[in-house]
Amino acid sequence: MPKFSDALAVLGGADLRVLERARSEKNGLVGLGLVVVSTALVAAVSMTFAIANAMSQPLPVAIVFGVVWGGIILALDRLLIKSMQGIYGAKALLYAIPRLIMAIVIGVVVSIPLTLQIFDREIVNQVHLDNVAAAAANTDEVEHGPVAQRLKTVEEEISANERVLRGEVEGLTSPELETAQREFDEAQAASETADATKTEAYRLMVCEKEGAGSNADCSSLVSHTAGEGPLYAARVREYQDALSKADTAAARLAEARIDLETARANAVTSNSEKVEEAQEEAQTLLCGPPAPADAEPSADAPAGIDPECAAGLRAEAVQLRQQLANAQDPKTFDENTGMLARLKALDELAANNPLSGTAHIAIALLFIIIEIMPVTVKTLLAFRGESQYDRIARRLQEDELNELETDVDTDQVQRDREMRKREEVREDMLQREIALGKTANAHVAEQMESILAAALEKWSEDVQESLERNRATSGVEPEFASRSHRPYDLPREDDL
């Protein structure tokens, strides 16, 4: 069963087969393995903080990601160390430079979450200040932006169309309405003047009672003696007279408003068709075109919008207000606490406070040094020259190569033998096939000669018999002349 020290040595770049023969190097490799494990633990803790704080994930999830990240860093560090195996002397520096650069990059990535965690309290405060400033800037932009301008325009159009619905249609006039409007304007101006006079009289009365003649806010007509004297009584009478005139002007304005409304109502009555057309147009602008008579009622309008006015100026105003509300929602900025916001806050802290910047850099360098420690230690060990472990590893590699070459040569000789054997077998088989073919041909020829001899003998006999019959019956053509077989008709190969 492997020992824990053997596992650490393997993490330090050792080969157990080599380490078995280089026991004197084991302690150094175990120490290097501990450095690699320490670096991986720091990386795991860093990633756990990053997932838990910056990404607001549950702690178990953050721990799982931290362990996985630590395992990745462990594998990378061991790979960097293992790739420098067998390199020693000044040559090791050339091999170490790209590995150190990679380790520095990893160190920066690892150090950021830990640095954010160390300055967490300060960063949280700075993030809050940044979000407040961003919200204020956004509010100012929203209030004067195109959405706000459009909402203002829409609200003015809504107000104008609502006045039309109340009968205040532009262009409607009559002598009675013109007279009522003129009297209303005069009464309104008189009421405003009376109110201003009343306000000034009240201010002077109070200033006289306080004796504030030297006060810049009070008139020079006010004395410097406080109390309810003759001058104060005169100011009271002036105020009461102004109050009476203001009440009279207000009453006149109220009467003029009633007369104006009556005159407007009469004008509307006399122009009912024009008013009705204007009101229908205003209603269409406010709530959209009317639904068809056979359409079914629907309540699918967006939230906050009247289903009966889901397509006009009123619906647009509701939507614009919702856009402004969403843009000004504090949650939009309060929830901006991610990794980027925290890094920005850390940078602002460093820029505003040199001491914070120095502490930030020092802590980041500390974790970077921890990350590059395995490669640095391996490089320093390489400068001492070839170690016993390197010599044994090189010798074992040479033995493996020699053994492989021997095996390859043996396999090649065996393959050559097998090839020669197959060639000789094929050649012998070829010769035997030739011999068998010749024997078969000779046998066939001999059989054909026997058959031919038998056929010729039979034919001779047939001819002799025919000749004898012909002699017995002279004058008749020889029988063989009418037979299908002629002396020259040799047997065919199929007949054989």
Side-chain angles (χ1 to χ4, degrees):
M1 182 177 181
K3 298 179 181 179
F4 181 69
S5 58
D6 292 340
L8 291 176
V10 170
L11 293 177
D15 186 339
L16 291 180
R17 189 168 61 91
V18 179
L19 189 63
E20 184 65 25
R21 302 188 180 188
R23 297 183 180 88
S24 59
E25 299 288 336
K26 184 174 182 178
N27 291 335
L29 293 170
V30 169
L32 188 57
L34 285 173
V35 174
V36 173
V37 172
S38 300
T39 303
L41 288 175
V42 172
V45 173
S46 173
M47 181 56 68
T48 301
F49 285 141
I51 298 297
N53 295 338
M55 299 184 182
S56 302
Q57 296 296 322
L59 184 59
V61 175
I63 292 175
V64 171
F65 277 94
V67 171
V68 172
W69 177 245
I72 293 174
I73 297 301
L74 183 68
L76 286 176
D77 286 340
R78 187 183 184 281
L79 177 62
L80 294 177
I81 294 173
K82 189 66 177 177
S83 62
M84 295 179 65
Q85 194 71 48
I87 307 301
Y88 47 87
K91 186 179 179 181
L93 186 60
L94 296 176
Y95 283 84
I97 289 176
R99 291 162 178 80
L100 284 174
I101 294 175
M102 184 180 296
I104 290 173
V105 173
I106 296 174
V108 171
V109 175
V110 170
S111 66
I112 289 175
L114 289 174
T115 305
L116 293 177
Q117 182 62 27
I118 291 174
F119 293 99
D120 181 68
R121 187 182 299 275
E122 292 79 6
I123 290 174
V124 170
N125 293 335
Q126 185 63 41
V127 168
H128 176 70
L129 294 177
D130 292 344
N131 290 340
V132 170
N138 181 74
T139 300
D140 182 70
E141 181 179 356
V142 168
E143 290 178 351
H144 300 86
V147 177
Q149 296 297 327
R150 175 57 183 168
L151 178 60
K152 182 179 179 181
T153 302
V154 170
E155 289 177 342
E156 291 175 353
E157 293 178 0
I158 290 174
S159 178
N161 285 282
E162 287 178 344
R163 287 196 298 272
V164 172
L165 292 180
R166 293 194 298 268
E168 300 177 10
V169 180
E170 295 182 359
L172 295 181
T173 184
S174 65
E176 180 186 5
L177 179 60
E178 292 177 356
T179 302
Q181 183 67 50
R182 183 173 57 255
E183 292 179 354
F184 175 79
D185 294 339
E186 292 175 355
Q188 187 176 23
S191 177
E192 292 174 354
T193 302
D195 287 339
T197 302
K198 179 187 68 174
T199 301
E200 178 66 15
Y202 179 79
R203 185 178 66 82
L204 294 176
M205 181 184 67
V206 172
C207 290
E208 182 62 41
K209 184 177 181 180
E210 299 294 333
S214 59
N215 193 331
D217 294 334
C218 294
S219 174
S220 58
L221 299 176
V222 178
S223 66
H224 299 274
T225 303
E228 298 180 357
L231 292 178
Y232 173 72
R235 296 300 180 190
V236 170
R237 286 192 296 273
E238 291 177 0
Y239 170 70
Q240 291 176 347
D241 183 60
L243 179 61
S244 176
K245 291 180 179 181
D247 292 340
T248 302
R252 180 187 173 192
L253 178 61
E255 293 177 357
R257 180 178 288 106
I258 294 174
D259 294 340
L260 178 61
E261 292 176 355
T262 302
R264 184 179 289 115
N266 294 334
V268 168
T269 303
S270 61
N271 297 273
S272 58
E273 294 182 359
K274 184 177 181 180
V275 171
E276 184 176 353
E277 292 177 359
Q279 289 178 340
E280 290 179 356
E281 182 180 358
Q283 181 65 26
T284 301
L285 291 174
L286 289 172
C287 297
D294 57 348
E296 296 182 358
S298 175
D300 295 334
I305 298 178
D306 187 356
E308 297 181 357
C309 289
L313 292 172
R314 288 172 178 169
E316 183 180 358
V318 173
Q319 293 175 346
L320 292 173
R321 293 189 190 98
Q322 290 177 350
Q323 292 182 18
L324 290 176
N326 293 335
Q328 295 175 330
D329 188 0
K331 293 182 179 180
T332 304
F333 298 94
D334 291 343
E335 295 176 357
N336 184 26
T337 58
M339 179 69 76
L340 185 60
R342 295 168 68 86
L343 288 174
K344 180 182 177 183
L346 181 62
D347 184 66
E348 292 177 352
L349 287 174
N352 298 331
N353 190 343
L355 183 60
S356 298
T358 303
H360 167 213
I361 294 174
I363 293 174
L365 289 176
L366 172 63
F367 292 116
I368 292 174
I369 291 174
I370 293 175
E371 177 56 38
I372 67 174
M373 188 65 68
V375 178
T376 304
V377 172
K378 184 63 179 179
T379 304
L380 294 176
L381 291 176
F383 273 100
R384 69 180 182 178
E386 188 177 16
S387 64
Q388 182 72 9
Y389 180 89
D390 293 332
R391 286 190 288 269
I392 294 175
R394 179 167 50 81
R395 182 61 181 273
L396 289 176
Q397 290 175 353
E398 292 175 355
D399 292 342
E400 288 180 355
L401 181 59
N402 293 333
E403 183 179 354
L404 177 61
E405 291 177 350
T406 301
D407 292 341
V408 170
D409 293 340
T410 302
D411 292 342
Q412 185 63 38
V413 171
Q414 184 66 25
R415 285 195 296 271
D416 292 341
R417 289 177 180 176
E418 290 292 333
M419 186 177 295
R420 286 197 303 271
K421 182 178 69 174
R422 287 193 295 269
E423 290 294 332
E424 291 177 359
V425 170
R426 283 197 297 269
E427 183 65 25
D428 180 70
M429 181 61 69
L430 179 61
Q431 296 300 328
R432 291 179 182 275
E433 288 177 354
I434 293 173
L436 289 173
K438 290 180 178 180
T439 302
N441 290 339
H443 180 72
V444 171
E446 181 181 354
Q447 294 297 322
M448 290 180 68
E449 290 176 357
S450 300
I451 294 170
L452 181 59
L456 289 174
E457 183 179 358
K458 182 68 172 62
W459 178 76
S460 297
E461 293 176 353
D462 291 340
V463 171
Q464 290 297 329
E465 292 178 357
S466 178
L467 288 175
E468 291 177 357
R469 286 193 300 269
N470 288 335
R471 290 191 189 102
T473 59
S474 59
V476 180
E477 184 181 358
E479 185 178 355
F480 68 83
S482 62
R483 295 172 63 90
S484 61
H485 293 287
R486 297 291 185 266
Y488 47 81
D489 288 337
L490 297 178
R492 293 175 300 175
E493 184 177 356
D494 294 341
D495 298 333
L496 299 178

